[in-house]
Amino acid sequence: MNRIALLELADFLETLDPKRFDITTWRKLGRKKVGYVTDESLLNDFNTVACPVGWGCLLKSWKEAGLYIDRFEVKQEYLEHPLSKPHVMSMVKLRSNPELDSYEAVRKGLNLYPRMAEVLFDYSNYADEEFTSPETVAERIREFCKVPEDELQNLIITYDDH
C-alpha cells in the first residue's frame, strides 16, 4: 500500500476549501454540468470541484504512481436509458495499464487491497454520503494508514457497503 500517496492526499484534503470538494463527482466544470477539467484548470479556476481521486491526481506522489485524469467518452451503447445522451466525462487512468480506469486504476496504482479504493473514496461507503467533507475522507485515510497490513482486510470489510 502506498502510504506516502495516501497521506499526501490526506494532508491536501485537510487544507482544501470544502466548497471545492464533492465526493459524488469526478472532476467537472460545475455540479450540474458534465465536463472535462484539466489539472491546470482545477488548480487555477476556483469554481471547479473534484472528488478525492480527482484531487489526488494533481499530487506528485499520485503522478509518480502513474495516475492521471483523462477523457472518457460515454457512448450510446454504455447508456441504459434510451433518452440518455452520449457525453464526455473525466476518468482516472493508469499509465502502466491504460485499460484500467476508475477505482481499479487507483487500486493498482497505489497498490491497495481489493475494495479499499471504494471504501476510501466512494460516497456510498460514508454515512453522510454526498455531504461527506474532505476532512472526513482525510480522517479515514489516516485511519487506514495506521493499521498494520495484516489487519487491513478486516478494516475494509467493516466499511464496505457492497
Side-chain angles (χ1 to χ4, degrees):
M1 172 171 76
N2 188 337
R3 282 181 166 83
I4 292 170
L6 290 171
L7 291 172
E8 183 180 8
L9 177 59
D11 290 345
F12 176 84
L13 291 175
E14 287 172 339
T15 64
L16 182 65
D17 177 354
K19 289 182 250 165
R20 308 250 355 251
F21 182 84
D22 185 345
I23 196 165
T24 65
T25 185
W26 293 90
R27 286 162 41 168
K28 296 182 180 185
L29 294 171
R31 291 178 192 267
K32 295 184 181 183
K33 286 178 68 176
V34 174
Y36 176 67
V37 178
T38 65
D39 290 355
E40 294 77 24
S41 296
L42 187 59
L43 284 170
N44 298 316
D45 175 3
F46 294 104
N47 294 318
T48 57
V49 298
C51 71
V53 172
W55 285 111
C57 287
L58 292 177
L59 303 175
K60 182 180 179 208
S61 59
W62 284 56
K63 288 179 181 182
E64 288 172 351
L67 294 164
Y68 67 100
I69 298 293
D70 199 6
R71 296 170 61 91
F72 179 75
E73 279 190 62
V74 180
K75 299 177 181 175
Q76 192 66 45
E77 65 254 29
Y78 302 148
L79 300 169
E80 291 181 20
H81 194 281
L83 297 178
S84 296
K85 303 272 188 230
H87 57 276
V88 174
M89 60 183 282
S90 53
M91 183 67 68
V92 65
K93 302 285 249 168
L94 183 62
R95 292 198 193 288
S96 64
N97 187 346
E99 297 300 311
L100 294 180
D101 60 41
S102 192
Y103 293 128
E104 272 303 300
V106 174
R107 186 190 68 73
K108 182 84 168 167
L110 299 182
N111 195 28
L112 303 179
Y113 284 78
R115 302 282 310 149
M116 187 171 164
E118 291 89 342
V119 166
L120 291 176
F121 305 124
D122 190 288
Y123 72 93
S124 66
N125 286 299
Y126 285 86
D128 45 6
E129 294 195 349
E130 66 265 19
F131 303 109
T132 302
S133 71
E135 295 86 6
T136 301
V137 176
E139 184 179 308
R140 184 171 295 177
I141 291 169
R142 290 189 190 291
E143 176 185 4
F144 272 73
C145 286
K146 289 178 186 173
V147 171
E149 291 276 330
D150 60 338
E151 295 176 24
L152 270 173
Q153 197 60 53
N154 288 333
L155 183 59
I156 291 166
I157 291 168
T158 65
Y159 281 107
D160 195 359
D161 196 33
H162 296 93

